[in-house]
Amino acid sequence: MIHWRKGIVAAIRSTRPGYTEVEVELDEAVPGTDVRSIRAVAYTDAVGQPQDQDTVIVNVSALAKRLGTGGFGLIVALPDALPADPPDGPGHLVKDRYSPLQTMVLGVDDQESQHHSTLAEADSLDGMPVVVADLHSALPAVIAGIRAVDPSMSVAYVLSDGAALPAPFSQAVAGLKDASWLSGVISTGQAWGGDLEAVTIHTGLLAAKHVMDADITIVAQGPGNLGTGTKYGYSGLVTGEHLNAAALLDGHPIGLLRMSNADARGRHFGISHHSLTPLSEIARPGMTVPVPDFSTLTEVERAEMDPDPAVVAETMAEQLLRLQVHDLVDIDLTGLWDALRTSPVRLSTMGRKLPADAASFLSAAAAGRCAAGLVRR
């Protein structure tokens, strides 16, 4: 069930294309709390642009459940300031289907799209490297690794629908595009709000290659991954299928190892089971799996990391035995620590920043370096 509240916009906190964050004073407190002043998000393409003192209807379910990533309200409507009807135009792809906020978009693979004929004929990625990541937080680190090899490479991001559905929610994506680190976003499945929309991961990948002309594509869910502490009950399990999709389309699939040298949970220390399970049980054999070589870090670099990522070495060696069906490629990390520090957006994963969980970001950068070395030009 959804917890609804009515309120008044008290202040505009921030805005970017498709996204505005506001302060809302609620008529009634969030259920189970005495909180009446909250942070709330409006996806302006869907509900319109809130203004100071506007009345809003807010979904406060995440606040009532005291969630972390989703710890804010979601503006569902501006009842006294409804947005204008969209202009007539092509497109019949319905996203967030049959929810109260379903939205209709023009898909890149839609019959009415100017790119339909291209995607109707395309069935190959022609060897394009496709980096598949579990966590959205890996995105800037992967690109840092790519740029350490060649900053002129064009990188596309294919957003899956495993977590946040609206692409404008990602502050990282907005910052990476502003810095010209990211060429564009393709939202797939039920996700929406990218530069291009696609029905499936498959057509999203083909659009990245044949419409965006990307050298490398990164596939990942948005912020807010879901896990249950069970073997198969987490949103990142589909990374195995995304690798298979890239292989099916004659791309070069690269399985990014989600790693941590700081996570207190055993299932995520070293190589996370969120990578081990899909790579060992779902992905076809023969995927490229970059393995960061922590021995190539300098003493000066390791002194900046707390804890030292090399603490995972023994655990990682045992975990890699499960992945012998794949092509395990040791990646030299020389220069990647400095490359990560050039990120135009904040690096943070599960609440831990760069020095506190270096293994996570170095593994992602290693996957980027590996992908860049596979680009055919």
Side-chain angles (χ1 to χ4, degrees), residues 50 58 80 152-153 190 194 198-200 203 212 215 220 222 241-242 249 255 291 304 333 343 348 351 361:
V58 190
D80 299 326
S152 72
M153 287 185 177
Q190 300 290 346
V199 175
T200 65
T203 50
M212 284 191 174
D215 294 310
E241 297 293 0
H242 296 164
L249 296 172
V291 179
E304 297 175 358
L333 302 180
S343 173
S348 179
F361 302 108

Side-chain angles (χ1 to χ4, degrees), residues 2 4 18 32 40-41 51 66 92 99 101 103 119 125 130 169-170 182 208-209 211 226 274 281 299 367 375 377:
I2 299 174
W4 302 104
V41 168
Q51 303 293 335
R66 296 172 174 80
H92 76 285
S99 85
L101 286 178
T103 183
L119 292 181
L125 298 176
V130 177
F169 177 63
S170 174
L182 190 60
K209 173 65 179 178
V211 177
L226 178 62
H274 284 197
E281 300 190 25
E299 290 298 322
V375 170
R377 280 184 160 177

Side-chain angles (χ1 to χ4, degrees), residues 134-147:
D134 172 33
L135 294 178
H136 183 74
S137 57
L139 182 63
V142 175
I143 302 176
I146 293 169
R147 291 176 62 86

Side-chain angles (χ1 to χ4, degrees), residues 180-197:
S180 299
W181 274 38
L182 190 60
S183 298
V185 181
I186 305 170
S187 37
T188 66
Q190 300 290 346
W192 56 272
D195 300 290
L196 297 174
E197 307 278 0

Side-chain angles (χ1 to χ4, degrees), residues 188-257:
T188 66
Q190 300 290 346
W192 56 272
D195 300 290
L196 297 174
E197 307 278 0
V199 175
T200 65
I201 290 290
H202 299 72
T203 50
L205 288 171
L206 289 167
K209 173 65 179 178
H210 298 286
V211 177
M212 284 191 174
D213 197 27
D215 294 310
I216 298 169
T217 296
I218 302 167
V219 180
Q221 60 187 327
N225 64 298
L226 178 62
T228 63
T230 62
K231 183 176 181 180
Y232 299 114
Y234 62 97
S235 55
L237 187 69
V238 293
T239 55
E241 297 293 0
H242 296 164
L243 288 164
N244 291 341
L248 173 71
L249 296 172
D250 297 321
H252 195 127
I254 299 168
L256 188 159
L257 291 176

